[in-house]
């Protein structure tokens, strides 16, 4: 074996050279890897015994792309970043045929590398993709130029603009791959290389037969741009990716590459890209809990149970079933159980109708959901998630009963969104096994799982739930046990400001539109209608005794609820709704608001969309700062991830704390101080915001230096 570097090795199998990239964990194209491959190409080109070569990855994957950690060096001018482009030309010009052999993933620069080889083979389980748009960039090593030449324009546009992975079978059908290899990939690839050795080595960049004509391509680009504007609203990278693929159809290869390079650089320097790269690493960082090390033993979760077959309980049961974990679904009586099961069937049927799931998948998942009355069968499960009505007394009764019927070592989780985990845990004899698993509605869709640590929750239980989140397809974020935990605690001030704004004279649609245009998935008032205004109303009634009567509170939503306007489910809330739950403005509400605000003596004024955004978003940030300071979240990143996956915050803005950092904490602090002077106590700046702003620091750089406070 010839070692070109510790990152790339060359070995020989008769007349076939095998180049192996060995840069764990994902063989990213970090500095040294492209150079190592270039050297390997030189070695085999000069070796007269070698007739063809295989390029593959060591370990669990081919190549997951460029090294994302290096992008900062390109934007700071420390690195050029065009080494890869040069390497790919060199590979393509190699006189001996190169076969890329793919297992795991060939993503981003990894697929670009493979496309510069003369042939591509893969294991059936492999995936290929150009996911760069998810990082706010576009392929930067001719991916937008070579992919349409292999896969055709429509497939290339879809892959580059949407960033979704493509399975090996589909990649074969679309022309990205030349052959699938069952069994030993190396042996199969070497055999394939023997078959093509000595034959001409086709260069992808010279293949123009799939590039289509302007007439044929025009509707493809038009539809792609429409889709990008709708589905990736507010983002620049998807549109840039489409432009670059279009360039491949209009210009010679070299010019297309220059075009791509310019758009790549533009994107790489954008705020969008910085935010999305923060999200990429943030998503992985939240899994790291300083006082719960990787080696913490995990408890088995082979079978689960859910108490309560309402909307949340049913959704949670589906989440377990979808992950292949058998789950008992318990209710107090048969009608409630029947309703719950009917809802689950309806949800699954909708997914089948929309083509998201197959009949077969649903059939198998439904078999995993076992309905039960009371606590029948609970003695055999490893984990229980309680999802009954949100009331402390009821929850305590359920947990006392679970303590009685469940075997030792079972994780007892509550889906409460507001109540104290510690108080619930005290109703059992095993508080170390009690934890919060706060799913978001609809549970089978939303990716966030807030994992709430009680004072006595054991590290094993925390580690198991974090691991389980991944298995369930969720992003688990550990939070501390405070009222509303992290997400809802921040959402309170956000929605409070939205209501104040309409009470002060802003239009209902104006408030929702300003935040929608900022990038939120929905405006805050429309979100209230969707979730049900009565939910907050009931909680406020429960906690009314804790409120300071001298502090201003919004009143309009309570009054809407008193009129039975609970939102979508009653056909009216802030908006009115037709049978299909389509919203339209309801002139009755502004009229009511006028009457109520006049009576309450709230002065009316014209409010700008900038003020709407700043008041709502900075209310999130100010509360986020308190949470961080009090240690209820481990890092600012954790708060960002919660808001991206649970609350529809735009990913290209990186989350509320990242957004505040980018605006500049001094500016945010001054604005919050202005609101404090204008609106009083509710806007008192969080001490951490004041401290970081005065020191010229950021939330991202702030470490509490301790674990999540329980
Ligand atoms: C690109 O290629 C641009 C090009 O056009 C060229 C321009 C010139 N770089 O996700 P995991 C780390 S842009 C650096 O937990 P999994 C990750 O942070 C790139 N690090 O594993 C983690 O570190 P830690 C386009 C990377 O098995 C560890 O590896 N490519 C990279 O669940 C394990 O990762 C992409 O966007 C990277 N490229 O999933 C693909 N990738 O252990 C990005 C991973 O310290 N990667 N790390 O937390 C992925 O989608 C997933 O990592 C993958 C594996 C599916 C590959």
């Amino acid at each position: 074996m010839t070692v070109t570097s510790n990152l790339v090795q060359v070995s020989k199998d008769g007349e076939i050279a095998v180049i192996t990239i060995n840069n764990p964990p994902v063989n990213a194209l970090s500095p040294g890897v492209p150079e190592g491959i270039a050297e390997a190409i030189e070695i085999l080109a000069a070796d007269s015994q070698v007739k063809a070569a295989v390029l593959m990855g060591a370990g669990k994957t081919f190549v997951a792309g460029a090294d994302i950690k290096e992008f900062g060096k390109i934007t700071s001018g420390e690195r050029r970043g065009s080494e890869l482009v040069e390497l790919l030309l060199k590979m393509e010009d190699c006189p001996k045929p190169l076969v890329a052999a793919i297992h795991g993933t060939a993503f981003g620069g990894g697929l670009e590398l493979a496309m510069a080889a003369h042939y591509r083979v893969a294991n059936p389980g492999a995936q290929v993709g150009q996911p760069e748009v998810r990082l706010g960039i576009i392929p930067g090593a001719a991916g937008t130029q070579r992919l349409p030449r292999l896969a055709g324009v429509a497939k290339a546009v879809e892959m580059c603009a949407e960033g979704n992975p493509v399975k090996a079978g589909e990649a074969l059908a679309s022309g990205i791959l030349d052959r699938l290899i069952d069994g030993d990939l190396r042996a199969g690839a070497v055999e394939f290389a023997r078959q093509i050795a000595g034959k001409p080595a086709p260069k992808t960049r010279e293949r123009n037969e799939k590039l289509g004509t302007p007439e044929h391509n025009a509707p493809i680009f038009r539809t792609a741009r429409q889709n990008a504007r709708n589905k990736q609203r507010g983002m620049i990278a998807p549109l840039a990716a489409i432009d670059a693929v279009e360039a491949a159809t209009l210009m010679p290869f070299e010019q297309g590459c220059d075009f791509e390079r310019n758009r790549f650089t533009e994107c790489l320097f954008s705020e969008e890209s910085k935010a999305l790269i923060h999200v990429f690493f943030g998503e992985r960082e939240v899994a790291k809990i300083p006082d719960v090390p990787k080696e913490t033993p995990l408890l088995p979760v082979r079978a689960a149970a859910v108490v309560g077959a309402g909307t949340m309980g049913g959704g949670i049961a589906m989440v377990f079933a979808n992950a292949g974990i058998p789950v008992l679904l318990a209710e107090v009586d048969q009608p409630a159980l029947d309703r719950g099961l009917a809802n689950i069937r309806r949800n699954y049927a909708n997914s089948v109708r929309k083509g998201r799931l197959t009949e077969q998948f649903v059939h198998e998942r439904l078999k995993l959901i076992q309905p039960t009355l009371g606590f029948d069968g609970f003695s055999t499960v490893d984990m229980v998630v309680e999802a009954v009505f949100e009331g402390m007394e009821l929850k305590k009764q359920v947990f006392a009963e679970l303590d009685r019927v469940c075997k030792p070592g079972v994780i007892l989780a509550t889906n409460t969104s507001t109540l104290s985990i510690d108080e619930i845990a005290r109703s059992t004899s095993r508080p170390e096994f009690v934890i919060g698993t706060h799913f978001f509605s609809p549970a089978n869709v939303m990716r966030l799982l807030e994992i709430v640590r009680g004072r006595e929750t054991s590290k094993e239980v925390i580690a198991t739930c974090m691991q389980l989140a991944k298995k369930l397809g969720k992003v688990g974020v550990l939070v501390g046990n405070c009222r509303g935990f992290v997400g809802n605690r921040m959402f309170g001030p956000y929605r409070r400001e939205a209501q104040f704004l309409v009470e002060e004279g802003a239009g209902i649609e104006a408030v929702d539109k300003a935040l929608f245009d900022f990038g939120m998935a929905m405006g805050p008032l429309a979100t209230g209608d969707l979730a049900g205004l009565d939910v907050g109303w009931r909680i406020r009634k429960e906690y009314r005794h804790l409120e300071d009567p001298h502090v201003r509170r919004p009143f309009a939503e309570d009054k809407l609820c008193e009129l039975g306007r609970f939102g979508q489910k009653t056909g009216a809330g802030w908006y009115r709704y037709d049978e299909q739950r389509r919203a339209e403005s309801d002139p009755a509400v502004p009229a009511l608001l006028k009457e109520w605000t006049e009576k309450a003596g709230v002065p009316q004024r014209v409010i700008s969309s900038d003020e709407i955004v700043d008041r709502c978003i900075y209310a999130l940030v100010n509360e986020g700062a308190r949470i961080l300071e009090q240690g209820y979240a481990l890092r600012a990143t954790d708060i960002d991830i919660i808001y991206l996956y649970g609350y529809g915050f735009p990913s290209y803005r990186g989350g509320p704390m990242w957004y505040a950092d980018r605006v500049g904490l001094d500016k945010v602090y001054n604005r919050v101080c202005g609101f404090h002077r204008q609106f009083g106590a509710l806007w008192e700046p969080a001490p951490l915001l004041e401290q970081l702003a005065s020191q010229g620091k950021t939330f991202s750089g702030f470490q509490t230096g301790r674990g999540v406070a329980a």
Side-chain angles (χ1 to χ4, degrees):
M1 179 180 306
T2 315
V3 175
T4 63
S5 72
N6 58 348
L7 298 169
V8 179
Q9 287 106 41
V10 184
S11 60
K12 278 207 276 186
D13 192 328
E15 294 181 325
I16 308 301
V18 178
I19 307 170
T20 307
I21 301 165
N22 191 0
N23 183 25
V26 291
N27 293 326
L29 297 165
S30 318
V33 176
E35 293 82 350
I37 300 171
E39 205 183 316
I41 302 280
E42 275 165 26
I43 292 171
L44 68 94
D47 186 336
S48 59
Q49 282 179 341
V50 172
K51 299 285 180 259
V54 168
L55 173 67
M56 58 192 303
K60 65 175 183 176
T61 189
F62 181 68
V63 172
D67 187 337
I68 302 167
K69 288 195 223 65
E70 292 290 310
F71 286 152
K73 293 189 188 153
I74 304 179
T75 48
S76 67
E78 207 179 307
R79 271 192 55 203
R80 259 180 337 121
S82 54
E83 305 83 356
L84 195 54
V85 181
E86 289 152 20
L87 165 69
L88 301 192
L89 289 174
K90 187 175 184 141
M91 280 172 56
E92 218 170 28
D93 288 337
C94 176
K96 298 176 186 175
L98 296 179
V99 180
I102 302 168
H103 72 298
T105 53
F107 281 173
L111 179 55
E112 289 172 309
L113 185 75
M115 290 192 295
H118 306 107
Y119 298 93
R120 285 147 296 279
V121 300
N123 273 156
Q127 292 189 315
V128 302
Q130 297 286 175
E132 287 89 342
V133 284
R134 298 192 172 173
L135 301 169
I137 55 173
I138 68 168
T144 60
Q145 307 302 298
R146 286 196 178 89
L147 189 55
R149 287 174 159 85
L150 290 178
V153 175
K155 191 76 204 157
V157 168
E158 183 195 308
M159 286 174 67
C160 294
E162 295 175 15
N164 295 325
V166 168
K167 295 198 172 106
E170 196 187 337
L172 177 72
S174 62
I176 301 170
L177 298 177
D178 299 293
R179 186 178 292 178
L180 295 191
I181 291 182
D182 281 312
D184 186 340
L185 180 64
R186 183 188 154 114
V190 166
E191 181 50 35
F192 182 89
R194 277 204 184 98
Q195 290 167 19
I196 48 98
K199 296 197 180 133
K203 298 182 188 180
T204 306
R205 69 176 192 265
E206 291 175 357
R207 294 172 59 176
N208 295 335
E209 69 276 10
K210 286 193 173 179
L211 290 179
T213 60
E215 298 71 44
H216 177 260
N217 293 336
I220 298 175
F221 292 119
R222 199 170 44 243
T223 310
R225 288 189 173 103
Q226 264 163 11
N227 284 345
R229 287 197 184 97
N230 291 337
K231 293 191 201 148
Q232 294 146 296
R233 184 167 53 92
M235 290 177 63
I236 56 169
L239 292 167
I242 298 167
D243 292 348
V245 176
E246 190 174 38
T249 68
L250 301 174
M251 305 171 188
F253 181 80
E254 290 70 22
Q255 247 175 287
C257 288
D258 288 345
F259 184 96
E260 179 198 82
R261 190 80 206 157
N262 288 336
R263 301 309 302 269
F264 169 81
T265 309
E266 219 173 275
C267 290
L268 188 62
F269 279 81
S270 68
E271 279 299 317
E272 173 178 317
S273 158
K274 293 189 178 80
L276 287 166
I277 289 173
H278 158 71
V279 174
F280 176 84
F281 288 114
E283 229 187 83
R284 285 149 182 88
E285 193 168 1
V286 294
K288 295 168 190 154
I289 302 160
D291 70 332
V292 183
K294 268 208 317 267
E295 307 69 43
T296 308
L298 299 176
L299 305 170
V301 181
R302 288 174 294 241
V306 175
V307 187
T311 312
M312 280 314 285
I316 297 168
M318 288 170 76
V319 171
F320 278 100
N322 290 347
I325 301 174
V327 58
L328 292 172
L329 181 63
E331 257 302 346
V332 280
D333 57 35
Q334 196 61 44
L337 200 51
D338 292 343
R339 272 196 306 277
L341 284 169
N343 275 336
I344 291 176
R345 287 206 186 89
R346 197 171 322 117
N347 276 337
Y348 273 134
N350 280 341
S351 301
V352 172
R353 215 187 37 249
K354 290 179 187 158
R356 291 200 193 120
L357 300 177
T358 61
E359 294 265 8
Q360 178 63 22
F361 180 90
V362 168
H363 179 70
E364 277 160 20
R365 302 304 124 174
L366 277 170
K367 276 200 299 201
L368 291 174
I369 303 176
Q370 188 68 48
T372 184
L373 287 174
F375 295 94
D376 268 5
F378 273 51
S379 58
T380 59
V381 300
D382 303 309
M383 176 170 183
V384 182
V385 181
E386 164 278 310
V388 301
F389 192 73
E390 192 76 348
M392 184 53 94
E393 282 321 304
L394 177 60
K395 303 242 179 212
K396 282 183 175 170
Q397 278 169 24
V398 170
F399 273 77
E401 193 57 20
L402 290 175
D403 192 26
R404 209 177 55 77
V405 297
C406 292
K407 64 187 179 193
V410 171
I411 297 175
L412 301 178
T414 167
N415 183 50
T416 180
S417 53
T418 47
L419 302 173
S420 166
I421 305 300
D422 292 330
E423 198 175 336
I424 294 173
R426 278 197 290 275
S427 60
T428 73
S429 63
R430 37 175 136 172
E432 66 279 23
F433 286 96
V434 177
I435 193 163
T437 49
H438 181 206
F439 288 83
F440 285 70
S441 184
N444 53 317
V445 176
M446 297 295 285
R447 284 198 62 207
L448 177 63
L449 182 63
E450 269 188 333
I451 296 176
V452 193
R453 177 178 202 164
R455 188 168 299 135
E456 295 186 50
T457 311
S458 78
K459 293 183 181 179
E460 289 78 4
V461 169
I462 294 170
T464 306
C465 288
M466 293 298 291
Q467 182 69 27
L468 180 71
K470 207 168 175 186
K471 186 161 183 203
L472 299 180
K474 306 286 170 199
V475 178
V477 184
L478 188 69
V479 299
N481 180 31
C482 58
R483 202 175 124 198
F485 314 127
V486 170
N488 282 348
R489 177 170 158 184
M490 288 165 67
F491 207 54
Y494 169 78
R495 291 207 67 258
R496 172 197 79 205
E497 287 305 310
Q499 294 170 66
F500 279 160
L501 284 158
V502 286
E503 290 174 13
E504 289 163 26
I508 294 164
E509 285 88 349
V511 170
D512 276 347
K513 181 174 184 315
L515 286 146
F516 182 78
D517 289 348
F518 173 81
M520 299 298 290
M522 269 177 116
L525 303 171
T527 307
D529 273 0
L530 174 70
L533 301 181
D534 56 319
V535 180
W537 180 48
R538 283 184 222 285
I539 295 170
R540 281 192 296 280
K541 282 202 284 192
E542 188 159 331
Y543 286 107
R544 190 126 295 160
H545 60 287
L546 298 176
E547 284 176 5
D548 178 347
H550 303 294
V551 173
R552 181 184 170 195
R553 299 282 159 204
F555 54 77
E557 244 172 42
D558 288 353
K559 289 195 173 290
L560 289 173
C561 287
E562 283 160 20
L563 296 172
R565 299 183 70 114
F566 293 168
Q568 291 194 11
K569 60 183 160 190
T570 56
W574 287 105
Y575 298 85
R576 65 180 176 210
Y577 297 88
D578 65 14
E579 293 288 295
Q580 276 76 46
R581 296 200 167 191
R582 276 185 303 239
E584 58 178 47
S585 54
D586 185 345
V589 184
L592 286 167
L593 274 169
K594 188 162 178 293
E595 187 191 315
W596 296 334
T597 51
E598 256 173 32
K599 207 161 158 202
V602 185
Q604 301 292 290
R605 63 194 171 88
V606 175
I607 299 177
S608 70
S609 50
D610 282 353
E611 178 178 338
I612 294 172
V613 169
D614 285 357
R615 276 177 65 183
C616 292
I617 300 297
Y618 293 166
L620 278 181
V621 172
N622 202 35
E623 195 61 30
R626 285 185 206 286
I627 288 173
L628 197 56
E629 185 172 21
Q630 293 162 0
Y632 289 111
L634 269 171
R635 297 151 286 231
T637 306
D638 295 42
I639 298 178
D640 287 336
I641 296 296
I642 287 173
Y643 262 76
L644 298 178
Y645 290 114
Y647 294 85
F649 199 94
S651 56
Y652 61 85
R653 293 196 192 269
M657 310 313 275
W658 176 264
Y659 172 73
D661 279 350
R662 301 305 295 177
V663 170
L665 294 191
D666 52 342
K667 290 205 189 78
V668 175
Y669 174 67
N670 286 338
R671 191 80 163 129
V672 169
C673 289
F675 291 148
H676 188 206
R677 284 191 295 275
Q678 197 176 352
F679 304 113
L682 289 170
W683 275 100
E684 191 173 341
L688 181 66
L689 174 61
E690 182 176 0
Q691 179 202 320
L692 296 175
S694 69
Q695 295 169 343
K697 292 188 177 163
T698 58
F699 288 127
S700 314
F702 176 75
Q703 293 287 343
T704 52
R706 50 196 156 101
V708 167

